[in-house]
Amino acid sequence: MFGGLTTLVNIAVFWLGTNWLHWYYLVANLVAWVLSVWFAFETNHRWVFMGSTAQKESTLIQLCRFFLARGVSLVIDMGCMIGLVQGIRTSELTAKLVTQVVVVILNYLLSVHFVFGTPRKRSSQEERSRSDAQNDRDHHPMSK
């Protein structure tokens, strides 16, 4: 879900940059990358990987690794954009959509193997604790 939202942020910012603000397509691509990478880090760190490596590494280290991994995909993204727009002469938006397929797969693999580790699933104990906490809130005298 968050990968899809990140892709949506990236494409929307690119489209706004090229169509409304009339930026050169590579400038719009870079701005879209910066905003979508920040969004992706926040969502991946907080909800997708749920701090699976937070006990081992600081958030700052994860952030650096995340941006480094995304930097690799930025180089590929820019290369594909240039190849598709200037080489093959596809439209900028078509190039962006095609490039995103490659970038999404690469970003996921880099996140799993380099930045965060395998997405953590809640254990049954965590689920029970969460359920108990919700139950306590629902039945607390002050919650009515």
Side-chain angles (χ1 to χ4, degrees):
M1 180 176 88
F2 290 114
L5 290 173
T6 298
T7 302
L8 186 62
V9 167
N10 190 291
I11 292 169
V13 171
F14 178 82
W15 185 84
L16 288 170
T18 56
N19 290 293
W20 282 27
L21 301 172
H22 305 290
W23 292 342
Y24 183 61
Y25 78 98
L26 293 177
V27 171
N29 198 46
L30 183 62
V31 172
W33 177 83
V34 170
L35 294 176
S36 65
V37 167
W38 188 260
F39 176 82
F41 178 77
E42 287 297 324
T43 57
N44 279 281
H45 179 70
R46 292 174 192 255
W47 294 295
V48 176
F49 294 94
M50 292 183 270
S52 61
T53 60
Q55 296 79 14
K56 300 177 217 161
E57 299 174 345
S58 72
T59 299
L60 181 60
I61 291 171
Q62 282 184 338
L63 180 65
C64 291
R65 290 174 77 169
F66 191 81
F67 270 85
L68 179 63
R70 289 305 196 269
V72 169
S73 66
L74 173 64
V75 170
I76 292 168
D77 186 350
M78 289 293 207
C80 289
M81 289 293 292
I82 291 168
L84 290 169
V85 172
Q86 294 176 5
I88 300 176
R89 304 261 187 239
T90 61
S91 75
E92 294 167 351
L93 185 58
T94 300
K96 184 65 175 169
L97 294 172
V98 169
T99 300
Q100 285 305 290
V101 173
V102 174
V103 169
V104 164
I105 294 167
L106 179 61
N107 285 342
Y108 178 77
L109 292 173
L110 288 170
S111 287
V112 168
H113 296 291
F114 179 68
V115 181
F116 296 110
T118 306
R120 198 182 81 157
K121 301 206 186 277
R122 287 194 176 115
S123 69
S124 57
Q125 178 62 36
E126 288 174 313
E127 287 296 327
R128 280 193 298 275
S129 295
R130 186 175 174 182
S131 177
D132 290 346
Q134 182 64 41
N135 194 25
D136 289 346
R137 282 192 298 273
D138 290 345
H139 296 94
H140 190 274
M142 297 301 288
S143 66
K144 296 187 181 195

